[in-house]
Amino acid sequence: MRQLGIGELARQVGMRPSALRYYESVGLLPAADRAAGRRVYPAGIVRRIALIKMAQRAGFTLAEIRGLLDSDAERGATRQWRALAESKLPELDRFIEQTQILRNAVADCLACGCMNFEKCELLSADGPGSC
């Protein structure tokens, strides 16, 4: 099986080698083999890192991700993933709602066009009026 040095792996997954060493230290990645004193990983580790990155973008904590990855039985991992995902969806919905509010505020500021932050009524404590 092909093995990747830590530098090559870091380039492939768009991370720094120090982040990969950290993932290893907190149990997200299995301990790397050594070749000539350097960390080497099986090529299949790229998929595991993709899962970790996706879960992080979705808002899962490293502890939650580690728990998911530590599940030995495939069926247990599936149940655990389902439970984590179901508990995360309301949080993601709130984040989307808050982000949409921010997006609309930026769009409103652009539409206003006054670009005078000192006097813009959209930014006043009294709330928006007409600029």
Side-chain angles (χ1 to χ4, degrees):
M1 179 192 283
R2 183 166 179 254
Q3 297 212 321
L4 304 171
I6 192 168
E8 183 181 356
L9 177 60
R11 279 187 297 281
Q12 279 193 20
V13 299
M15 296 176 69
R16 293 178 178 232
S18 60
L20 295 172
R21 287 189 294 273
Y22 176 73
Y23 279 10
E24 188 179 324
S25 74
V26 298
L28 291 173
L29 297 179
D33 291 333
R34 303 288 177 155
R38 296 176 39 199
R39 283 179 166 86
V40 291
Y41 297 89
I45 201 79
V46 171
R47 187 171 179 87
R48 184 178 180 109
I49 294 168
L51 171 64
I52 293 167
K53 291 172 78 173
M54 182 276 304
Q56 283 183 298
R57 284 192 309 274
F60 290 95
T61 67
L62 294 182
E64 289 170 331
I65 298 167
R66 186 177 54 244
L68 176 65
L69 294 172
D70 284 347
S71 295
D72 287 333
E74 188 174 315
R75 191 174 254 359
T78 301
R79 271 196 306 271
Q80 186 174 6
W81 167 249
R82 179 174 293 284
L84 281 171
E86 286 174 349
S87 70
K88 191 60 69 174
L89 284 177
E91 182 181 325
L92 289 171
D93 288 339
R94 284 189 300 279
F95 176 76
I96 291 167
E97 182 180 332
Q98 292 167 350
T99 304
Q100 188 64 42
I101 290 168
L102 291 172
R103 187 233 174 265
N104 291 341
V106 170
D108 290 346
C109 281
L110 285 172
C112 167
C114 76
M115 297 310 291
N116 185 332
F117 299 124
E118 299 279 328
K119 297 180 182 175
C120 182
E121 289 188 29
L122 290 174
L123 303 174
S124 74
D126 298 331
S130 77
C131 288

